[in-house]
Amino acid sequence: MGKFPVLSISLKSVNGQNFRSACEILRYVIGNEAMRFQFLLQDEKLTEPEKKQYEQLICVDTSGGESFLMADATLKGSLKTLSALLYKYYGQKVIILIDEYDVPLAKASENGYYNEMVDMIRGLFDQTLKTNDYLHFAVLTGCLRVAKESIFTGLNNLRVLSITSVRFDEHFGFTDREVREMLEAYGLEGKYEAIKEWYDGYRFGNADVFCPWDVINYCDELTADGNAKPKDYWSNTSGNDVIQHFIEMQGSGVTRGEIETLIAGETVTKEIHEELIYNHLYDSADHLWSVLFMTGYLTQRGTAGEDSYALAIPNREIRRIFTRQILTMFKENVSKDGETLNAFCNALQSGNAAETEKLFTAYLDKTASIRDTFVSKPTKENFYHGILLGILGFKGSWYVKSNRETGDGYSDILIEIEDEDIGIIIETKYVDRAAFDTALKEAFAQIEKNDYADQLKKDGYHTIYKYGIACFKRRCRVACEKEICVG
């Protein structure tokens, strides 16, 4: 601590719609780090030409106060130049920390300037890490282990610690002991099981760890509100594009059965390739499995060969991301099927349970289902509830009200059709081993016990349809009761 000069940058924000705009952000990131060392301009150890070199890094001519643009060649050599200047000032070699080193390549691949960015990053890393006599050591962190032929050409002294490495494996997250100690320190011991269900489940090397970002955020909320429910913090840090690509590849190397198996809490055995090139990430399903594994959407539950792993969704938080993405894509696809949507809604508002059952079953057959294994019953009901909402969203003139999460599950869907003077109540149930009749009785009992029709009656609706919809995998049973309100 305090023995070495340190350069520390994060490339997370290097995201531009084109190469030039991305380079502008990269210039700003490095220039902003260089600004921390303005004392170099007053140091007698540095020659005037060396001070001019420093001015090129902060893009300011201090003699005239004018700013200018850092040239590409200067940008590629910027970290090496700055480390040389710091070495001369301190007489000590420099430690360089580069976080999110792979983000510029990921964004460049998405936006169509990958080759240009590879050339820039390769030049920057080559001078910083390979031909830098002033470097003590460097640490780079990122999601993917980018192939050497991509940006690390000629760097043969890299020591790679991936999520399959045993060395330092317990430091990639919080261990069970650390989580228990944290909860004890804040008086939150009673929240351990919820935190374990939502945020545990990752396997790095030989260590089982919790996601630290999630644990910290949830504990922070609990200190302000002891009744706060666990939620998805991951989505705030990721666009989840890889999940969309994964679901889109259904039928092109990814089977619907594999998706359902993962959501059910079971494992799928796949070969993992740790070295990938960004512009080929989505060329094949084999690559996609590797990306899901290395970015934390899947974790390993044991090896099945030299490079093969039993992959699983780590916890409830990530499972929700998968199911939400499935529902989002389902809604997008369903919206294109206007004729069938109209038929479904017409059946629903006329009390035709048989036709509603037939059409809803057809929709269930178009998407991955929640299988009857690991996932809790409320989670399964949430899934089918979401599919119904996606279908009902087609009717712009209908007022569809969904009582969002209460505890672990959803309650009813309430629909008001003013033009037809019709109110509709829907209660969804997930059944075990296709026990449809029992589930339907429970649905109607719940509707009556909680008096879900009361609000519709108060609003003056003449005809009220009460639906029980019981689901099991891709099958469903629908029953309907009609109530006529007089007065």
Side-chain angles (χ1 to χ4, degrees), residues 261-485:
T261 296
L262 289 171
I263 295 174
E266 300 174 4
T267 63
V268 174
T269 300
K270 294 292 176 180
E271 186 173 327
I272 295 300
H273 306 278
E274 291 199 43
E275 289 197 3
L276 298 171
I277 299 177
Y278 264 103
N279 59 342
H280 294 297
L281 286 186
Y282 304 122
D283 285 359
S284 71
D286 289 341
H287 288 180
L288 193 53
W289 288 105
S290 300
V291 176
L292 287 166
F293 175 56
M294 288 185 285
T295 52
Y297 289 103
L298 297 178
T299 191
Q300 57 115 334
R301 293 285 182 260
T303 59
E306 185 175 349
D307 296 312
S308 296
Y309 296 87
L311 303 179
I313 294 175
N315 50 45
R316 184 168 175 178
E317 179 191 36
I318 304 302
R319 188 173 297 109
R320 279 166 61 95
I321 294 175
F322 270 87
T323 55
R324 282 178 177 173
Q325 189 64 56
I326 290 171
L327 289 173
T328 297
M329 296 180 69
F330 172 79
K331 292 175 185 178
E332 292 172 354
N333 293 331
V334 160
S335 64
K336 303 171 186 176
D337 191 7
E339 184 177 340
T340 308
L341 283 171
N342 264 322
F344 177 85
C345 292
N346 289 338
L348 197 66
Q349 76 173 43
S350 64
N352 189 336
E355 186 67 10
T356 301
E357 178 180 310
K358 173 186 173 183
L359 293 170
F360 190 48
T361 300
Y363 275 120
L364 291 179
D365 200 45
K366 294 179 181 179
T367 189
S369 68
I370 297 292
R371 289 172 49 191
D372 186 20
T373 50
F374 178 81
V375 182
S376 64
K377 186 175 180 180
T379 301
K380 297 166 188 162
E381 291 177 359
N382 294 354
F383 182 77
Y384 294 100
H385 182 108
I387 291 178
L388 274 170
L389 290 177
I391 296 172
L392 295 171
F394 172 75
K395 279 290 189 181
S397 61
W398 289 13
Y399 174 59
V400 181
K401 181 181 179 182
S402 170
N403 290 335
R404 284 295 180 183
E405 267 188 283
T406 55
D408 283 335
Y410 289 89
S411 58
D412 61 309
I413 297 173
L414 186 146
I415 305 168
E416 297 179 6
I417 312 174
E418 293 184 359
D419 295 342
E420 304 292 335
D421 195 22
I422 294 173
I424 299 173
I425 297 164
I426 300 175
E427 186 66 33
T428 58
K429 293 292 180 183
Y430 187 85
V431 304
D432 296 321
R433 295 176 295 279
F436 291 112
D437 291 340
T438 301
L440 289 175
K441 289 178 182 178
E442 291 177 0
F444 285 113
Q446 186 171 332
I447 290 173
E448 297 305 321
K449 178 182 178 182
N450 295 311
D451 199 12
Y452 289 154
D454 181 61
Q455 186 60 51
L456 292 174
K457 294 176 182 177
K458 288 180 179 178
D459 290 342
Y461 283 94
H462 178 262
T463 304
I464 298 176
Y465 291 110
K466 303 172 185 177
Y467 280 93
I469 299 182
C471 302
F472 177 70
K473 298 183 180 179
R474 295 195 195 95
R475 297 166 55 198
C476 77
R477 184 78 57 80
V478 178
C480 178
E481 294 179 357
K482 181 179 180 179
E483 181 175 349
I484 302 296
C485 303

Side-chain angles (χ1 to χ4, degrees), residues 85-155:
L85 298 176
L86 290 172
Y87 174 77
K88 187 165 186 180
Y89 179 85
Y90 286 106
Q92 184 66 273
K93 290 187 176 182
V94 177
I95 293 173
I96 297 178
L97 309 176
I98 302 176
D99 191 22
E100 304 278 9
Y101 76 89
D102 51 348
V103 168
L105 298 178
K107 301 303 180 182
S109 179
E110 292 173 12
N111 294 316
Y113 54 91
Y114 180 77
N115 291 335
E116 295 166 285
M117 184 54 74
V118 164
D119 179 70
M120 173 58 71
I121 297 297
R122 182 189 293 133
L124 177 67
F125 285 1
D126 185 66
Q127 294 197 50
T128 303
L129 307 174
K130 180 183 177 184
T131 60
N132 189 353
D133 294 332
Y134 313 102
L135 177 68
H136 182 61
F137 70 82
V139 177
L140 289 79
T141 62
C143 285
L144 298 187
R145 177 181 173 179
V146 180
K148 288 185 178 181
E149 63 266 24
S150 176
I151 58 173
F152 294 135
T153 304
L155 283 177

Side-chain angles (χ1 to χ4, degrees), residues 191-206:
K191 300 296 182 179
Y192 170 79
E193 292 300 331
I195 289 175
K196 183 175 180 62
E197 178 186 0
W198 276 77
Y199 310 126
D200 190 17
Y202 295 95
R203 181 80 173 175
F204 288 83
N206 293 330

Side-chain angles (χ1 to χ4, degrees), residues 134-186:
Y134 313 102
L135 177 68
H136 182 61
F137 70 82
V139 177
L140 289 79
T141 62
C143 285
L144 298 187
R145 177 181 173 179
V146 180
K148 288 185 178 181
E149 63 266 24
S150 176
I151 58 173
F152 294 135
T153 304
L155 283 177
N156 299 318
N157 58 339
L158 287 176
R159 187 174 301 166
V160 179
L161 301 172
S162 73
I163 59 177
T164 61
S165 303
V166 173
R167 189 178 186 186
F168 304 129
D169 52 8
E170 73 277 16
H171 298 299
F172 280 90
F174 289 160
T175 64
D176 187 83
R177 176 183 59 80
E178 290 167 338
V179 170
R180 290 181 184 274
E181 288 177 357
M182 179 186 295
L183 296 181
E184 182 179 358
Y186 288 102

